[in-house]
Amino acid sequence: MIIKKFLITAFTGLSLLLPVGAVTVDTDTFGEALNGWRKNRTASYSIDNHSYRTHKPTVTPNPGGGIFISTRIEHKPKFGKKTTSYIELSYSSAGTLLTTQIRIMTGDLQLNTGLISRPAPAAKPVEGEEPLANIEPWASPEATMVNDLFRSLDTEFAKLSKKNEEGKKDVFSRVFGRGYQSADLAAAIRHNLNLLLKYTR
């Protein structure tokens, strides 16, 4: 009975430290969606016959409120170099996604989408003009940011292919290693990002 009262008191005290409506990440459910967390705080799974490993997200408070989320995704093909990707998200205290970024590293190569910021709200229609059509959620600020993020990633891959004498056809297999397919990595990153967005409340 004493232990029960202690736990209730401790939980109540902890809840008082969090502002009402504070943004949180359900890392447990996120891990379950990736085949479950292991003791080393990683989850292993396959996408299109390629093996990936995601590390449990690191969540830290932003100085001005809200949280910063970072998670690491590793891809190790049977032949070739290990590729490490990072997804970074920054939320306001109200749960609004403010910025997002993807960084990819393999050997000496680094790719970076740059910081993708939340788009400015659409201007209100001038009096007499028809209001804009509501096409949510396809044109929501979050969806726009995700589209911009992967568009930037595609641009970085395109820059890489231009530097290659043999063109885009074989650039990924020679830079990242035999058996590597760029679509697999993009799909794994997108899969993790979608789950993070889903389980951040």
Side-chain angles (χ1 to χ4, degrees):
M1 189 69 177
I2 296 176
I3 295 177
K4 183 177 181 181
K5 287 183 178 180
F6 173 77
L7 291 174
I8 293 173
T9 303
F11 179 77
T12 302
L14 179 61
S15 64
L16 292 175
L17 297 175
L18 298 173
V20 176
V23 59
T24 59
V25 186
D26 188 350
T27 55
D28 290 338
T29 307
F30 174 62
E32 290 173 6
L34 294 173
N35 209 26
W37 296 124
R38 298 181 176 182
K39 290 183 179 179
N40 63 356
R41 296 170 57 88
T42 67
S44 299
Y45 51 95
S46 297
I47 296 179
D48 292 337
N49 296 319
H50 282 250
S51 297
Y52 296 89
R53 182 171 65 176
T54 294
H55 290 249
K56 198 167 188 177
T58 298
V59 183
T60 54
N62 284 327
I67 58 174
F68 174 78
I69 307 168
S70 176
T71 193
R72 185 170 73 198
I73 305 164
E74 295 172 348
H75 170 232
K76 180 66 172 71
K78 293 180 180 179
F79 304 98
K81 307 171 186 176
K82 181 178 78 171
T83 301
T84 303
S85 305
Y86 294 88
I87 300 175
E88 299 171 349
L89 305 170
S90 184
Y91 280 87
S92 71
S93 57
T96 300
L97 181 61
L98 300 176
T99 62
T100 149
Q101 185 172 11
I102 293 173
R103 295 182 292 118
I104 300 175
M105 289 176 280
T106 179
D108 296 330
L109 175 69
Q110 295 188 23
L111 300 179
N112 194 328
T113 62
L115 205 61
I116 305 298
S117 300
R118 189 177 184 84
K124 294 182 178 180
V126 181
E127 186 176 351
E129 290 184 353
E130 293 185 6
L132 296 174
N134 183 8
I135 54 176
E136 297 279 2
W138 311 114
S140 68
E142 289 77 14
T144 300
M145 292 176 71
V146 171
N147 290 334
D148 289 345
L149 183 67
F150 282 91
R151 190 177 296 114
S152 179
L153 185 60
D154 286 342
T155 300
E156 291 303 306
F157 280 135
K159 290 178 182 177
L160 180 63
S161 68
K162 287 181 181 178
K163 295 178 181 178
N164 190 276
E165 295 178 357
E166 295 182 27
K168 189 174 181 180
K169 182 177 180 181
D170 192 46
V171 62
F172 298 108
S173 63
R174 286 188 293 104
V175 171
F176 295 105
R178 278 192 302 131
Y180 177 83
Q181 294 176 347
S182 62
D184 296 330
L185 180 58
I189 293 174
R190 186 75 179 244
H191 180 59
N192 279 265
L193 177 61
N194 287 345
L195 291 175
L196 274 176
L197 295 175
K198 180 178 180 179
Y199 296 121
T200 302
R201 305 182 179 93

